[in-house]
Structures are given as C-alpha cells and as structure tokens.
C-alpha cells in the first residue's frame, strides 16, 4: 500500500506518453557513457553555469546501536568554494562541523575544512576513504576534537539516474504539473545527474582521544 501511494498518478494519457518520451530521449547511449565516467570524479561547471553549479559527494551510514554518520562535500561556484558537512550521533551526543562554508582545497581535490574523500588507489574496487580531523561542535561553545577514518566498500550495484530512471514513472510525475514554457525552462535549468550506491562504512572514530571501531550500513551519493 505504501509503495502504491508513492507512485505518481500522472495526468491525461497523452501527457503521460509525452513525458515518458522526453525522458527516453534524454537516455541517449553517449550521454549515459559520459555520466558513467563522472561517477567517481569531480565534474567541472559548464561554462556560464557557475552560479547554479553544485557537485555534491555524500557518504552516510548508521548502525543498530545508534551510531549515525553523515558526511558531504558540495563544490560550488567555479569549484573553489565548498560546503563541508559532518553530522554525527555517537553515544547519545550530537556533533557537527562548526563551520559549513569553506574554500575547497584545490579544484582537483575532494577536501575542505578537514574533511577529505579519496580513492586511495582502490578505484577499481569502488572503495573510498572518508577522513576528518578537526573540531566538532556539541552545541553552544563546547567542542570536541575528532579524528574519523572510515573506508567505504560497495555492496550493491550503482543506480545512475540518466540510465536507470523509469521513463513512465518520471513522465507521469511531469504530467501532473501544469506545462508551460516557464516550466520546461526551469527543468532545463535544473539539469543534474544522480548516482547512488549501497555499501558499508567501517573504521574508527576518535572523540577527544577516545577511539571506537564502527561498522555502518551505508550509502554513497554523487
């Protein structure tokens, strides 16, 4: 029942078919190959699109004993600006990076504010390393020193929106909206491709020198 309730209802049959057709047109083999090549690397902003650019990498995971870790690096502007997020719940304490907007550490790096994502030579295996070293805020003026070192290991196939998106479901969602030139202009301005993959994050988290090992059911998102 829940799955059925989440499905788009669609609009008139002809709008559903047109919407599905537009989605299928976007799933061109050359476009999909290009998108696959961008799954594991930074994507430069299209010329003239710097104000709308967002190249976002996310690794997050949780475990049954209440540990939650969410990390994100969002590259903006021409790739020189970054949003570095680290949200963590550990032993009932909530900890976050005290500052979010920071300069990135170079246009070829995935690092800002002490948070770093890297392949570390394991690109072929789809593995990543997620590291952070620096202060975390516990609220108010209270902070704690944190060292986080986790390895991400994929356990599922990856989902790539331009390749695996369901044309009919997406077409029905489009058909529910009132169509106009402004609507399609807005769709074009929000061009993005999304990749998701399930996996495991494992390693160690140290707070004020007290380390613990963690193994988290995880997902990565680019």
């Amino acid at each position: 029942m829940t799955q059925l309730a989440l499905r788009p209802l669609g609009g008139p049959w002809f709008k559903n078919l047109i919407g599905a057709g537009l989605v299928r047109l976007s799933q061109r083999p050359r476009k999909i190959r290009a998108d696959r090549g961008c799954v594991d690397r930074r994507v430069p902003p299209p010329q003239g699109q710097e104000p709308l650019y967002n190249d976002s990498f996310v690794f997050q995971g949780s475990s049954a004993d209440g540990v939650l870790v969410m990390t994100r690096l969002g590259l903006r502007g021409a790739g020189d600006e970054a949003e570095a997020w680290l949200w963590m719940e550990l032993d009932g304490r909530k900890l976050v990076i005290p500052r979010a907007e920071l300069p990135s550490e170079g246009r070829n790096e995935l690092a800002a504010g002490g948070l770093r994502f890297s392949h570390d030579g394991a690109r072929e295996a789809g593995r990543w390393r997620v590291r952070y070293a620096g202060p975390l805020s516990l609220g108010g003026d209270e902070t704690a020193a944190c060292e986080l070192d986790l390895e991400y290991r994929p356990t599922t196939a990856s989902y790539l929106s331009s390749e695996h998106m369901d044309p009919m479901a997406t077409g029905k969602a489009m058909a529910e909206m009132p169509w106009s030139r402004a609507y399609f202009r807005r769709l074009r301005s929000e061009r993005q491709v999304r990749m998701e993959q399930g996996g495991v994050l494992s390693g160690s988290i140290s707070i004020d020198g007290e380390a613990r090992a963690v193994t988290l059911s995880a997902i990565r998102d680019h």
Side-chain angles (χ1 to χ4, degrees):
M1 292 296 292
T2 302
Q3 290 180 343
L4 290 174
L6 292 174
R7 291 181 182 176
L9 299 176
W13 65 269
F14 60 90
K15 283 185 71 176
N16 295 338
L17 290 179
I18 293 171
L22 291 173
V23 174
R24 287 193 180 95
L25 282 175
S26 72
Q27 295 175 318
R28 298 184 296 274
R30 182 182 298 178
K31 173 71 164 56
I32 291 171
R33 284 195 299 271
D35 291 342
R36 287 177 186 164
C38 295
V39 161
D40 291 325
R41 66 176 178 86
R42 286 183 59 166
V43 181
Q47 188 172 5
Q49 296 295 311
E50 288 84 357
L52 302 174
Y53 169 74
N54 175 31
D55 191 16
S56 181
F57 291 76
V58 173
F59 292 85
Q60 59 184 329
S62 63
S63 62
D65 58 354
V67 178
L68 171 67
V69 176
M70 185 275 191
T71 63
R72 174 181 177 267
L73 281 169
L75 294 310
R76 297 186 177 277
D80 297 320
E81 304 166 18
E83 291 179 351
W85 296 356
L86 170 52
W87 301 336
M88 186 159 54
E89 183 159 345
L90 191 66
D91 299 326
R93 295 186 296 175
K94 293 179 172 61
L95 306 98
V96 300
I97 287 181
R99 297 174 296 142
E101 295 182 8
L102 303 152
S104 69
E105 297 181 14
R107 296 190 181 184
N108 295 319
E109 299 291 329
L110 278 172
L115 181 63
R116 180 178 295 273
F117 302 153
S118 60
H119 283 290
D120 285 350
R123 186 173 205 157
E124 294 77 12
R127 298 189 180 191
W128 286 73
R129 195 173 178 190
V130 178
R131 287 171 287 176
Y132 175 75
L136 292 181
S137 171
L138 287 86
D141 296 328
E142 188 179 1
T143 61
C146 174
E147 290 189 14
L148 178 145
D149 192 345
L150 302 175
E151 182 189 57
Y152 169 84
R153 177 174 53 84
T155 57
T156 72
S158 60
Y159 167 87
L160 185 63
S161 61
S162 58
E163 180 176 6
H164 301 117
M165 183 165 49
D166 183 343
M168 183 53 72
T170 308
K172 284 185 174 182
M174 292 170 58
E176 291 179 357
M177 306 298 293
W179 285 2
S180 65
R181 288 185 180 179
Y183 170 73
F184 286 103
R185 247 193 331 266
R186 188 166 65 251
L187 277 183
R188 283 194 294 270
S189 74
E190 295 174 357
R191 287 176 299 177
Q192 59 175 274
V193 177
R194 186 167 196 147
M195 172 272 184
E196 294 182 354
Q197 186 175 34
V200 173
L201 276 170
S202 60
S204 67
I205 301 172
S206 174
I207 304 295
D208 286 336
E210 185 178 341
R212 66 179 290 174
V214 297
T215 300
L216 312 174
S217 298
I219 188 168
R220 67 171 287 223
D221 179 349
H222 179 203

